[in-house]
Amino acid sequence: MQYIVTGVMSGTSLDGMDIACCNFIEDDGRWRYSVIKSTTIEYTPHWKQKLETAHTLSPEELTLLDFEYGHLIGTSVRGFLDSAGISNNLLVASHGHTVFHMPGRGYTLQIGHGGSIAASAGFDTVCDFRSTDVALGGQGAPLVPAGDRLLFHEYDLCLNLGGFANISMEENGDRIAFDICPFNFVINHLVRSASIPMQGKNGQKLLEYDPGGSIGRKGRTDTDLLNRLNNISYYRKTGPKSLGREWTTENILPLLNTEKLGLEVVLNTYYHHVAMQIAKVTGQKDREQKLLITGGGAKNSYFIECLKEHLPPGVLAVIPGNETIEMKEAIIFAFLGLLRYL
């Protein structure tokens, strides 16, 4: 059987809304996919500010934003499909945008109201992927391991470097997955806080991320800061476990005093910290393993150098093409939506 499904993803790093229209084919219980068309729609400054501060809104304001954002997703998908001339789309599968994620306290919230998406896009819509798992006592994150197992089975480990670094892998016949540590959520916060001016297409604007890790590359690794980061208790917990904005604000950001050490040193140290935590969980095996790396961090060349420096022998880092790097989560949410629909 063949199915055309559009997946939508918005990450905590606020890079934009990823949309991927995919063709999924099932043949004797095995799945394969191809991307028909994909795009990333950058958020306007207005929408970026609304999503970044959503956790500060009153209940009524947040409810309104939930509906408004759903209509934004729906109209974006409709315009994308119309411009691509795709008329046989079966459904939309939308992750939404995470505002709260506190599974330890029994709740999580991704806005982007499903009814609003369906009304504006004109297609059946699957959404709210995380809350049932949290209601059943799970972490609600990461959500990609089913897609990793069924669509990217040629890799032993699948690492996503988005707002948070998460990994999935096969272990004793089971697919296990967990959040490793915050990544672009922290990097982008540090760069934005430093208010570094740059020349853009429409005049001067502020740098919002570390391009290719170029700022961190100029720094040195501060041993004291690195030790304090590596000693955070979360890293000693076994999975399942997941992270959110709330935990990061409380446990990571207070340690990163850029006024004392300087941005270059803090970024350099944080890159090595993340690389060491990833290396720790890839484990020592008796055979070579292929590690698929996707998400925005896969384009951070300095960080990838740090990661390769720390990875155990036998772990081969694989950087795929741009479409897989940028759209893997949107592809998998399209797939998860299809599985739910079926």
Side-chain angles (χ1 to χ4, degrees):
M1 291 290 291
Q2 182 171 296
Y3 308 91
I4 308 297
V5 181
T6 298
V8 186
M9 174 68 192
S10 175
T12 48
S13 52
L14 289 170
D15 296 334
M17 185 192 303
D18 294 333
I19 305 176
C21 182
C22 307
N23 182 23
F24 297 102
I25 298 174
E26 182 186 19
D27 184 12
D28 197 24
R30 292 183 69 86
W31 288 94
R32 64 183 190 274
Y33 81 95
S34 60
V35 177
I36 300 170
K37 188 85 173 176
S38 66
T39 191
T40 297
I41 298 175
E42 288 188 23
Y43 291 123
T44 63
H46 170 73
W47 267 106
K48 187 173 285 190
Q49 190 270 337
K50 288 180 83 161
L51 294 174
E52 200 165 28
T53 59
H55 64 285
T56 68
L57 298 178
S58 71
E60 184 177 0
E61 290 169 330
L62 185 56
T63 301
L64 175 61
L65 181 61
D66 182 26
F67 278 72
E68 288 179 336
Y69 185 56
H71 284 297
L72 177 69
I73 294 171
T75 54
S76 298
V77 169
R78 181 86 243 183
F80 162 76
L81 293 174
D82 285 348
S83 67
I86 299 170
S87 58
N88 57 342
N89 184 67
L90 176 67
L91 74 147
V92 176
S94 173
H95 167 270
H97 190 85
T98 299
V99 177
F100 301 112
H101 184 66
M102 296 288 284
R105 294 173 63 182
Y107 68 89
T108 187
L109 176 67
Q110 289 72 43
I111 59 171
H113 187 262
S116 301
I117 297 171
S120 292
F123 295 102
D124 287 348
T125 297
V126 179
C127 63
D128 192 16
F129 283 88
R130 299 184 187 273
S131 63
T132 301
D133 188 59
V134 171
L136 289 167
Q139 290 290 306
L143 282 173
V144 296
D148 287 341
R149 172 181 253 185
L150 296 174
L151 299 181
F152 297 92
H153 49 81
E154 66 268 36
Y155 299 98
D156 303 283
L157 311 118
C158 292
L159 173 68
N160 180 65
L161 296 173
F164 295 84
N166 57 61
I167 196 164
S168 84
M169 65 191 87
E170 294 292 320
E171 191 170 280
N172 300 321
D174 290 325
R175 192 81 189 184
I176 65 165
F178 51 90
D179 285 341
I180 301 171
C181 59
F183 189 62
N184 280 334
F185 183 87
V186 168
I187 303 301
N188 295 355
H189 170 83
L190 292 171
V191 174
R192 288 171 187 153
S193 299
S195 300
I196 303 170
M198 62 172 287
Q199 198 66 32
K201 294 182 202 172
N202 303 313
Q204 197 176 82
K205 61 178 184 177
L206 296 179
L207 193 63
E208 297 196 351
Y209 63 99
D210 183 10
S214 58
I215 302 173
R217 186 186 291 276
K218 297 173 187 172
R220 61 175 177 82
T221 305
D222 184 85
T223 305
D224 179 59
L225 175 58
L226 183 63
N227 288 337
R228 281 186 287 143
L229 288 167
N230 285 338
N231 283 326
I232 291 172
S233 61
Y234 175 84
Y235 302 127
R236 295 190 292 275
K237 289 175 61 178
T238 56
K241 57 183 182 176
S242 65
L243 296 167
R245 170 190 50 80
E246 301 89 342
W247 182 92
T248 306
T249 302
E250 181 180 340
N251 293 277
I252 296 284
L253 298 184
L255 298 177
L256 306 179
N257 188 341
T258 56
E259 290 182 12
K260 178 184 174 185
L261 294 173
L263 180 63
E264 294 172 357
V265 170
V266 171
L267 283 175
N268 182 288
T269 305
Y270 197 75
Y271 284 141
H272 281 278
H273 160 66
V274 174
M276 291 170 76
Q277 294 307 316
I278 292 170
K280 205 164 81 174
V281 302
T282 55
Q284 300 283 347
K285 303 286 183 182
D286 55 3
R287 60 179 179 80
E288 190 174 88
Q289 296 183 96
K290 288 201 293 183
L291 171 67
L292 176 66
I293 304 175
T294 57
K299 294 185 174 183
N300 186 321
S301 54
Y302 178 67
F303 173 73
I304 296 301
E305 290 174 25
C306 294
L307 180 59
K308 289 179 177 179
E309 176 187 329
H310 291 287
L311 281 175
V315 177
L316 175 65
V318 179
I319 310 292
N322 273 343
E323 190 166 66
T324 304
I325 287 175
E326 295 170 358
M327 294 293 158
K328 178 170 173 276
E329 286 190 302
I331 292 165
I332 289 183
F333 278 107
F335 183 58
L336 295 178
L338 174 60
L339 294 182
R340 177 65 174 134
Y341 182 89
L342 294 175

